[in-house]
Amino acid sequence: LHSSMTHFTPQKSLRAAVFDLDGVITRTRDTHMESYRLLFNQFLKLRGDDEEFSELEYDTVINGIPRNEAIKAYLKSRGITLTQGHEDDMWDGNEKEPTVYALGNKKNEYFEQVLHSKGVVKYDSTVSIIRHLVDHKVPCGVASSSSNAKDVLKKAELLDLFDAVIDGHTIKDEGLKGKPHPDLFLYCLSKITNDAVPPGEAMVLEDAPNGVHAGKAGKFGLIVGIDRGGDRADLEKEGAHIVVDDMREIRLKEIDQWFDLNKH
């Protein structure tokens, strides 16, 4: 695979692209991880637990799933159960038994603080592919479990490139299931193409194994896994057709040829 994008002309078989955000377009993984670290270390210390939140826990328990589901999953991994509470619950950092919603809202506060203090890092190779697809009238959308997806894209000055951004707010408003279910990708595809393109003629780009699983469950024609942290085997196991370390390894012409060769 090569990085050149010259002479790329999309055929009818490549008709849409759906991108995950964190780890694919932007490097907000570190922003999310830092905000969860601030949240859980404060919470655990208050409860007398000195074992701090780890990067491994982020990658194996939290990454890629909606905020409140992630919090419940993490608490369960630590043997802690809290009530769900109400959407507007807040945590002052002193209560030992806050609700899940309260911790989620506190995590969002920390995320916004870290985002505005450190900014957004973009993966230029992915952005180049998106711009090229947009130039060739291929509809592009973002499907992210994060409720901050639009804010991140806006801060990165990329929001206008996409025909739709499906995020954590959409999951709640539309009653969608998060990854590894295919709902987000399928809903995004529907929105960016007005239901005109079947999944088999679209591609998904993901960096998390549960996201790749969602793409496979949605029967997308091409699933590209991006291995940012040693997940190549898991990405392949979950169904990625191609796994790369960075999108500069792929020629868009080869993506187009993939669809032509795999027509049914």
Side-chain angles (χ1 to χ4, degrees):
L1 295 174
H2 307 285
S3 60
S4 172
M5 289 185 291
T6 57
H7 307 303
F8 170 63
T9 305
Q11 305 296 322
K12 291 181 180 180
S13 48
L14 172 58
R15 300 176 59 195
V18 180
F19 295 79
D20 178 39
L21 177 61
D22 179 28
V24 174
I25 302 171
T26 60
R27 191 176 175 178
T28 37
R29 172 188 178 277
D30 293 348
T31 311
H32 282 290
M33 187 170 66
E34 175 65 9
S35 58
Y36 276 116
R37 187 190 69 79
L38 291 168
L39 173 74
F40 286 129
N41 284 353
Q42 182 181 5
F43 174 71
L44 293 170
K45 185 176 181 181
L46 187 66
R47 295 173 62 94
D49 188 341
D50 294 328
E51 184 181 348
E52 294 190 342
F53 178 73
S54 70
E55 182 174 359
L56 178 62
E57 288 177 310
Y58 178 80
D59 288 334
T60 57
V61 180
I62 286 176
N63 190 23
I65 62 177
R67 183 194 310 152
N68 289 328
E69 290 182 28
I71 288 172
K72 285 191 288 186
Y74 179 73
L75 294 175
K76 182 179 179 181
S77 75
R78 289 292 188 113
I80 301 170
T81 302
L82 298 177
T83 59
Q84 186 75 10
H86 303 283
E87 292 182 18
D88 57 354
D89 287 351
M90 301 302 293
W91 185 50
D92 61 7
N94 297 312
E95 187 181 352
K96 292 184 179 180
E97 296 287 333
T99 65
V100 171
Y101 272 116
L103 288 181
N105 289 331
K106 190 67 173 180
K107 185 268 175 182
N108 197 47
E109 286 182 17
Y110 282 136
F111 181 87
E112 290 176 355
Q113 291 174 15
V114 177
L115 179 67
H116 290 292
S117 65
K118 297 188 177 180
V120 178
V121 177
K122 295 175 281 191
Y123 288 107
D124 292 336
S125 56
T126 306
V127 174
S128 294
I129 283 180
I130 294 165
R131 293 189 186 281
H132 213 73
L133 290 171
V134 171
D135 287 345
H136 286 85
K137 312 301 181 186
V138 177
C140 293
V142 170
S144 170
S145 299
S146 173
S147 296
N148 303 101
K150 289 183 180 177
D151 290 338
V152 170
L153 288 167
K154 189 173 183 179
K155 192 168 182 66
E157 299 182 341
L158 298 173
L159 185 60
D160 292 343
L161 290 175
F162 298 100
D163 297 284
V165 176
I166 307 306
D167 60 10
H169 296 294
T170 318
I171 293 174
K172 175 190 163 190
D173 294 343
E174 300 296 330
L176 304 177
K177 292 181 180 179
K179 304 168 188 177
H181 301 282
D183 298 27
L184 268 71
F185 289 142
L186 293 174
Y187 189 83
C188 185
L189 178 64
S190 170
K191 288 297 181 183
I192 65 177
T193 65
N194 294 316
D195 291 317
V197 176
E201 296 178 10
M203 69 174 177
V204 159
L205 292 91
E206 253 287 356
D207 74 312
N210 66 348
V212 167
H213 184 99
K216 182 179 181 181
K219 296 180 169 51
F220 280 80
L222 173 61
I223 305 165
V224 179
I226 305 178
D227 177 20
R228 303 289 190 195
D231 293 325
R232 179 176 293 269
D234 288 335
L235 293 169
E236 292 174 345
K237 179 182 177 182
E238 292 296 344
H241 299 111
I242 300 171
V243 178
V244 296
D245 293 332
D246 187 87
M247 287 305 292
R248 66 171 51 92
E249 297 174 31
I250 292 183
R251 290 175 56 184
L252 284 175
K253 183 177 180 180
E254 291 169 325
I255 291 176
D256 197 43
Q257 289 171 344
W258 168 274
F259 282 92
D260 287 340
L261 291 171
N262 288 276
K263 284 181 180 179
H264 297 289

